[in-house]
Amino acid sequence: MANYSEQIKLAHGGGGSLMQELIHREIVPALDNTSLRQLADSARLEAPGSTLAFTTDSFVVQPLFFPGGDIGTLAVCGTVNDLAARGAKPLALSLAMIIEEGLPLEILQKILHSVGESARQANVNVVTGDTKVVERGQAGQIFLTTSGVGIMRDGLDFTPDRIEPDDVLIINGSIGDHGIAVMSVREHLQFASPVQSDVAPLAEMVQIVLDACGNKIKCMKDPTRGGLASNLNEMAQLVGFILEEEKLPIRKEVLAACDMLGLDVLTVANEGKMIFAVAPDAAQKTLDALHSHPLGRNADVIGRADQRAGLVRLNTHIGGQRILDTPYGEELPRIC
Amino acid sequence: MANYSEQIKLAHGGGGSLMQELIHREIVPALDNTSLRQLADSARLEAPGSTLAFTTDSFVVQPLFFPGGDIGTLAVCGTVNDLAARGAKPLALSLAMIIEEGLPLEILQKILHSVGESARQANVNVVTGDTKVVERGQAGQIFLTTSGVGIMRDGLDFTPDRIEPDDVLIINGSIGDHGIAVMSVREHLQFASPVQSDVAPLAEMVQIVLDACGNKIKCMKDPTRGGLASNLNEMAQLVGFILEEEKLPIRKEVLAACDMLGLDVLTVANEGKMIFAVAPDAAQKTLDALHSHPLGRNADVIGRADQRAGLVRLNTHIGGQRILDTPYGEELPRIC
């Protein structure tokens, strides 16, 4: 287990085991309640007449603009996708901005434009907000925090404890694109065709899958910080998973960049991907539903659940097997 | 009108006219929708079976700890009070933290403890959250963003357009305490008895008032950034207001500090106050209800609405009258 630290480190924000430790040792005990303890992508709330999903995320990505998106796109899609992972249809978003004094108005305008565009694409409104300004050098130009409220489907939840051995793992497309798109700007990497972030709002695509397959969909998760490795480990509560390396959809530029940067693509963040754990008899129907949507066109089966609870394994190209651990911290700081 | 600026200034975050301009020129057009256009303390959402209030606020206060509270107390109470101002009963809160690398764990623990305590006091749970860590020097130690969802009362809303001439203005206690408590630490002011922030969650007190007076309560607003001056100007849409200076509840230490710092107490932030605009025949009932609650013990009438739409005037001690404008920016940066 990770060493416990008396000061906050960058790695505490990395979506890995050090962050899990901070959450379990400090945050959950201080704020203790049943909903929080679930630690799902969004919380479930009972309101008179409906069940709601509620989620929040802060965005501190550097640089603010990258191929395929910017901090504004990310802030909308990240929150929409956390609602989608709980099967919820987005009802409304909030947007809180912490802006650094001296930020050119033009940059703020571009970011607000992206927020508006992404919200329209996700068919949801930003209905409330807040603006704070802090002194120069105190907020990496701009930080955004979005929260979202969604309406959950009657009687359907998608928590990891529903996954059974032999359930099939499906993802809606290639992995690692977002992290590498951001890193390529930061590290001045050149590609023949530049890697674009996959940032996209997935709620509509998820609703199509749920309309087709209902409770045959056992669990969903959007593998952002910590990538597939971290998120599959979080899903591996009562089951384990076996992934097939040759089935993993990875662009060759992404793989090349990972090699160059010494990164494991399985720990790199995605912002437009959803992992589905699906009953075996609904796998084809899930794929069909995904293929009918532009954001699911490249969906494929990448592995399956087995009985070795808590263990995520990868069958490699060359016939070996390796264990995919939760990464410790963050190999890629400020990726979202 | 304020000069328009090509860069963001500290004053853009001050709750004054410059912030209003940023909101109206940039934010609302980019994100345009009916709910946002209301620019209320919280937005109204229609969910199947219930009407929800939804709100968000970021907190960047410096220093993190001050007499009477800290950034954690503030983050919970600020959001609870925005729900309360719309008559909503808090259903759940979210907490997103942006932490600076190197923050002593002890400080984080204290802040989380305050969040937990304030949430218990407000009878609401923090059900979802997010943690990001940024490099040293990039986040003033820690920034918090809370969002809140509340259940609105059936068929009752509390928007400024409901206020009529002769409606009575009531506040639940002394003004300026929060701003001066924070400034006294920043400016090393010494008082015989130190000024404590009034930070407190007001939802329970507001529900008691609404139970007693229902739709006789026309509008409510919690006068945070920009103080009474800014918030009464926001309420003065179809009516004007006349305040009686001699009725304004102000502690003498607060007044002394304002004199020393060159501040107008009417522009100083509060974090445990609610302004009620009330039908004249319900004024006494409102006061009785407020007096029955610990946070409303010092409630009093401070003025009334008249027909001079958009104008807020103050009848002074010495028999004169002055116009209370919306302050331009922020005399007190990073007060919440």
Side-chain angles (χ1 to χ4, degrees):
Chain A
M1 193 56 185
N3 282 327
Y4 204 51
S5 147
E6 293 304 311
Q7 283 196 345
I8 298 298
K9 302 186 206 175
L10 276 178
H12 274 112
S17 62
L18 198 62
M19 187 165 105
Q20 291 300 326
E21 200 177 86
L22 184 73
I23 291 171
H24 288 285
R25 283 212 205 178
E26 304 297 341
I27 301 177
V28 170
L31 312 178
D32 197 35
N33 61 77
T34 322
S35 297
L36 183 64
R37 237 175 286 129
Q38 282 200 344
L39 295 172
D41 288 319
S42 53
R44 176 189 175 123
L45 302 180
E46 298 301 337
S50 47
T51 303
L52 307 173
F54 182 34
T55 187
T56 194
D57 266 312
S58 287
F59 296 86
V60 300
V61 67
Q62 278 296 323
L64 299 176
F65 300 89
F66 46 82
D70 61 38
I71 191 171
T73 335
L74 215 48
V76 170
C77 297
T79 288
V80 165
N81 294 349
D82 280 344
L83 294 176
R86 195 115 195 196
K89 208 172 151 178
L91 179 65
L93 301 184
S94 67
L95 174 71
M97 306 194 285
I98 301 174
I99 308 175
E100 197 177 295
E101 180 190 13
L103 182 78
L105 187 63
E106 199 192 334
I107 290 187
L108 181 63
Q109 288 168 333
K110 276 194 195 170
I111 292 169
L112 286 170
H113 177 81
S114 295
V115 169
E117 279 301 301
S118 299
R120 270 182 287 279
Q121 201 191 335
N123 199 21
V124 63
N125 284 325
V126 177
V127 297
T128 189
D130 183 48
T131 306
K132 293 288 190 303
V133 182
V134 297
E135 296 84 350
R136 247 169 244 275
Q138 294 257 304
Q141 297 186 283
I142 186 168
F143 296 147
L144 301 183
T145 301
T146 41
S147 300
V149 178
I151 310 281
M152 284 176 65
R153 295 171 80 96
D154 283 343
L156 276 184
D157 208 344
F158 302 95
T159 46
D161 55 2
R162 299 182 66 230
I163 308 172
E164 293 170 280
D166 294 325
D167 283 353
V168 173
L169 285 178
I170 292 174
I171 196 163
N172 62 310
S174 60
I175 61 169
D177 299 4
H178 174 71
I180 295 305
V182 175
M183 287 308 285
S184 67
V185 186
R186 250 194 258 165
E187 303 287 330
H188 308 289
L189 299 185
Q190 305 281 348
F191 302 104
S193 51
V195 176
Q196 302 269 325
S197 168
D198 60 343
V199 58
L202 301 173
E204 187 186 70
M205 180 193 80
V206 167
Q207 290 300 317
I208 290 174
V209 171
L210 296 180
D211 286 344
C213 305
N215 68 2
K216 297 276 185 179
I217 305 298
K218 304 295 191 67
C219 180
M220 296 179 285
K221 205 149 175 54
D222 65 320
T224 55
R225 277 182 294 178
L228 228 51
S230 196
N231 285 273
L232 284 174
N233 272 286
E234 282 182 51
M235 289 168 78
Q237 293 180 2
L238 307 180
V239 295
F241 296 110
I242 300 187
L243 295 184
E244 301 298 331
E245 191 173 27
E246 61 179 18
K247 300 286 274 173
L248 293 177
I250 310 172
R251 289 179 205 280
K252 64 178 189 305
E253 303 91 319
V254 169
L255 215 47
C258 284
D259 278 351
M260 219 178 309
L261 298 166
L263 296 172
D264 180 352
V265 67
L266 291 161
T267 67
V268 176
N270 310 279
E271 292 290 346
K273 292 298 160 336
M274 192 67 73
I275 310 169
F276 299 85
V278 183
D281 61 351
Q284 190 54 50
K285 224 174 183 175
T286 304
L287 286 172
D288 292 344
L290 284 168
H291 292 156
S292 77
H293 192 274
L295 295 170
R297 203 146 282 163
N298 299 314
D300 213 342
V301 172
I302 57 168
R304 61 180 175 80
D306 68 6
Q307 300 190 337
R308 301 188 59 180
L311 205 59
V312 182
R313 289 174 297 163
L314 179 75
N315 286 333
T316 65
H317 284 299
I318 52 166
Q321 194 172 72
R322 74 175 172 102
I323 290 174
L324 279 189
D325 271 329
T326 299
Y328 169 69
E330 185 160 37
E331 302 183 69
L332 303 177
R334 301 188 62 179
I335 212 72
C336 63
Chain B
M1 196 56 185
N3 282 327
Y4 203 51
S5 148
E6 292 305 309
Q7 283 196 345
I8 298 299
K9 302 185 206 176
L10 276 178
H12 275 114
S17 61
L18 198 62
M19 187 165 106
Q20 291 301 325
E21 202 176 85
L22 184 74
I23 291 171
H24 288 285
R25 283 212 206 178
E26 304 297 342
I27 301 176
V28 171
L31 311 178
D32 198 35
N33 61 78
T34 322
S35 298
L36 183 64
R37 238 176 285 129
Q38 283 200 344
L39 294 173
D41 288 320
S42 53
R44 177 190 173 123
L45 302 180
E46 299 301 336
S50 47
T51 303
L52 306 173
F54 182 34
T55 189
T56 193
D57 266 313
S58 288
F59 296 85
V60 300
V61 67
Q62 279 294 324
L64 300 176
F65 300 89
F66 46 81
D70 61 39
I71 191 171
T73 335
L74 214 49
V76 170
C77 296
T79 288
V80 164
N81 294 349
D82 280 344
L83 295 176
R86 195 115 195 194
K89 206 171 154 180
L91 179 65
L93 301 183
S94 67
L95 174 71
M97 306 194 286
I98 300 173
I99 308 175
E100 196 177 297
E101 179 190 13
L103 182 79
L105 188 62
E106 198 192 336
I107 290 187
L108 181 64
Q109 288 168 332
K110 274 193 195 171
I111 291 169
L112 286 170
H113 178 80
S114 295
V115 169
E117 279 301 302
S118 298
R120 271 183 284 279
Q121 201 192 334
N123 198 22
V124 65
N125 284 326
V126 176
V127 297
T128 189
D130 183 47
T131 306
K132 293 287 189 305
V133 182
V134 297
E135 297 83 349
R136 247 169 244 274
Q138 294 259 304
Q141 296 186 285
I142 187 169
F143 296 147
L144 301 182
T145 302
T146 42
S147 300
V149 178
I151 310 281
M152 284 176 66
R153 295 170 79 96
D154 282 345
L156 276 184
D157 208 343
F158 302 95
T159 47
D161 55 2
R162 299 183 66 230
I163 309 173
E164 293 169 280
D166 294 325
D167 283 353
V168 173
L169 285 179
I170 291 173
I171 197 163
N172 62 310
S174 59
I175 61 170
D177 299 5
H178 174 70
I180 294 305
V182 175
M183 287 308 287
S184 68
V185 186
R186 251 194 259 166
E187 303 287 330
H188 308 289
L189 299 184
Q190 305 281 347
F191 302 103
S193 51
V195 176
Q196 302 269 324
S197 168
D198 60 343
V199 58
L202 300 174
E204 187 186 69
M205 180 193 80
V206 167
Q207 290 300 316
I208 290 173
V209 171
L210 295 179
D211 285 345
C213 305
N215 69 1
K216 296 278 185 178
I217 305 297
K218 304 295 191 66
C219 181
M220 297 179 285
K221 207 152 174 50
D222 64 320
T224 56
R225 277 182 294 177
L228 227 51
S230 197
N231 285 273
L232 285 174
N233 272 286
E234 282 183 51
M235 291 168 77
Q237 295 180 0
L238 307 180
V239 295
F241 296 111
I242 301 187
L243 294 183
E244 302 298 331
E245 191 172 27
E246 61 179 18
K247 299 287 274 173
L248 292 177
I250 310 172
R251 290 177 205 282
K252 63 178 191 303
E253 303 91 317
V254 169
L255 215 47
C258 283
D259 279 351
M260 218 178 308
L261 298 166
L263 296 172
D264 179 353
V265 67
L266 290 161
T267 67
V268 175
N270 310 279
E271 292 290 346
K273 292 298 159 342
M274 192 67 73
I275 310 169
F276 298 85
V278 183
D281 61 351
Q284 190 54 51
K285 223 174 183 175
T286 304
L287 286 172
D288 292 345
L290 283 168
H291 293 156
S292 77
H293 192 275
L295 295 170
R297 203 147 283 162
N298 298 314
D300 213 342
V301 173
I302 57 169
R304 61 181 176 81
D306 68 8
Q307 300 190 337
R308 302 188 59 180
L311 204 60
V312 182
R313 289 173 297 163
L314 179 75
N315 287 332
T316 64
H317 283 299
I318 52 166
Q321 195 173 72
R322 73 175 174 103
I323 290 174
L324 278 189
D325 271 330
T326 301
Y328 169 69
E330 184 160 39
E331 300 183 69
L332 302 178
R334 302 189 61 180
I335 213 72
C336 63

